[in-house]
Amino acid sequence: MSLLNFNAILDVAQQRQFKAIGSFNLHCIEMLPAFFRAAKKTDSPLMIQISTGTAEYLGYKLLVDSVRSLAESENVPTCLHLDHCSDIKAIETAMNAGFSSVMYDGSHLSMEDNIANTRIVVEMARPRNISVEAELGAIGGSEDGKAVAEEDICFTTVEEARHFIEETHVDMLAVSVGTVHGLYTGKAHIQHQRLKEISEATKTPLVLHGGTGVSDDDMRLAVTEGINKVNVGTEMNVQWVGQCKTMFEKGKVNDSVRKFLIPANDAVTNVLMEKIALFK
Ligand code: 13P
């Protein structure tokens, strides 16, 4: 089974009565079977996203080969997506390796430069049937260890979003509507009116970044207002590391490492299943 791009995976998700697809950050290769287990248990297609840090750590080829192999053996329609990347060379590496979807993140650039670079990526992607996500506005929090200061958060405007889509024709657009990446001290406040207006103006699938810390009610509502892709990253990391810490503390050095990792992976499966249930 070949990997599907975003449009194809969203089609499968919608055929199975999901309004949106969760895109889950894989933090290490050990977590991978836990993702597939959640998809199987919920009869959901699977979108796995990889930060450039993780791609460099594990290698693009290992990721493509292992995800493709599990998609086939588990019979799960799967999309492999490169998350937040502002380096066009790294995007090309991912495309050449076999990723089926990429994100070019030019949100830190001027509108003109963001459009120009996004277009380059769209031109590279189209002949290969790879989907492209772009970002407009600045989402706060921390991305791959780099912090975005609160004063730099910049909400996406309806007019800018309309203009950006007309100029780039990306497959999906990440918008800044109140979520932030990483752990919250409280719950995020999604700007539902802004979200609905952007969706109406762009008629393009929108992406909610910072899925960790969004309340269940807000999430259920957002997927009826134009959000078709929901990114969740930190929550799996927190569960996995939390379980490992507890297990390692109790363990002995000659215990099988599996004893520590299995509960960690079970916790990750539960996070995915809980999120996926919100998209129905
Ligand atoms: P969280 O880590 O806040 O869930 O955000 C993930 C994300 O948006 C990755 O692009």
Side-chain angles (χ1 to χ4, degrees):
M1 185 192 294
S2 54
L3 298 174
L4 303 180
N5 70 18
F6 170 73
N7 299 308
I9 205 88
L10 183 63
D11 268 356
V12 178
Q14 290 177 338
Q15 279 160 23
R16 297 187 188 181
Q17 316 306 323
F18 295 100
K19 296 186 181 74
I21 178 112
S23 194
F24 299 102
N25 285 92
L26 184 77
H27 298 279
C28 62
I29 201 74
E30 276 295 335
M31 268 187 199
L32 191 56
F35 280 33
F36 277 91
R37 215 166 293 130
K40 289 287 270 189
K41 285 186 171 178
T42 52
D43 192 29
S44 167
L46 182 61
M47 187 158 182
I48 300 172
Q49 59 182 16
I50 309 292
S51 68
T52 47
T54 302
E56 277 157 28
Y57 162 57
L58 290 173
Y60 292 84
K61 183 160 164 37
L62 171 71
L63 284 160
V64 171
D65 288 351
S66 46
V67 169
R68 211 182 255 157
S69 163
L70 276 166
E72 202 165 299
S73 60
E74 298 300 312
N75 194 25
V76 173
T78 305
C79 175
L80 181 61
H81 175 77
L82 184 69
D83 192 21
H84 287 287
C85 187
S86 44
D87 175 358
I88 295 182
K89 273 253 155 289
I91 290 181
E92 198 174 10
T93 303
M95 287 181 174
N96 289 340
F99 277 58
S100 54
S101 186
V102 295
M103 174 182 191
Y104 173 70
D105 182 356
S107 58
H108 53 291
L109 302 173
S110 67
M111 173 70 120
E112 262 180 13
D113 290 348
N114 192 357
I115 288 174
N117 287 355
T118 302
R119 272 182 168 166
I120 293 173
V121 174
V122 169
E123 272 166 33
M124 286 159 56
R126 286 290 174 259
R128 309 174 191 216
N129 200 23
I130 293 171
S131 46
V132 178
E133 174 179 344
E135 180 173 321
L136 200 56
I139 297 159
S142 128
E143 256 163 44
D144 224 3
K146 284 169 253 142
V148 177
E150 206 160 308
E151 59 272 22
D152 292 331
I153 296 175
C154 173
F155 297 120
T156 310
T157 70
V158 177
E159 270 325 303
E160 280 176 348
R162 190 200 317 266
H163 176 63
F164 189 86
I165 290 296
E166 280 168 5
E167 293 293 320
T168 61
H169 300 287
V170 285
D171 300 282
M172 64 282 209
L173 182 66
V175 288
S176 173
V177 291
T179 54
V180 297
H181 292 115
L183 277 181
Y184 289 81
T185 39
K187 289 286 176 195
H189 295 292
I190 294 187
Q191 300 180 12
H192 292 282
Q193 191 56 31
R194 184 186 294 271
L195 179 55
K196 284 189 281 191
E197 287 173 17
I198 295 172
S199 174
E200 185 54 36
T202 58
K203 309 257 185 293
T204 297
L206 301 178
V207 184
L208 190 70
H209 281 242
T212 300
V214 175
S215 73
D216 290 357
D217 286 346
D218 248 0
M219 192 76 97
R220 283 196 199 92
L221 196 54
V223 298
T224 67
E225 295 172 332
I227 292 294
N228 289 126
K229 172 176 180 271
V230 177
N231 288 9
V232 183
T234 305
E235 214 159 322
M236 287 87 73
N237 200 80
V238 167
Q239 289 299 324
W240 204 84
V241 174
Q243 285 293 334
C244 281
K245 271 183 84 170
T246 313
M247 295 307 295
F248 277 116
E249 258 164 33
K250 289 197 285 200
K252 300 191 295 295
V253 286
N254 60 342
D255 283 336
S256 163
V257 74
R258 283 192 310 278
K259 186 172 158 187
F260 311 125
L261 299 185
I262 288 172
N265 267 358
D266 287 346
V268 166
T269 296
N270 287 341
V271 173
L272 264 71
M273 288 178 65
E274 281 165 19
K275 296 293 174 199
I276 290 168
L278 302 174
F279 309 143
K280 270 251 152 146

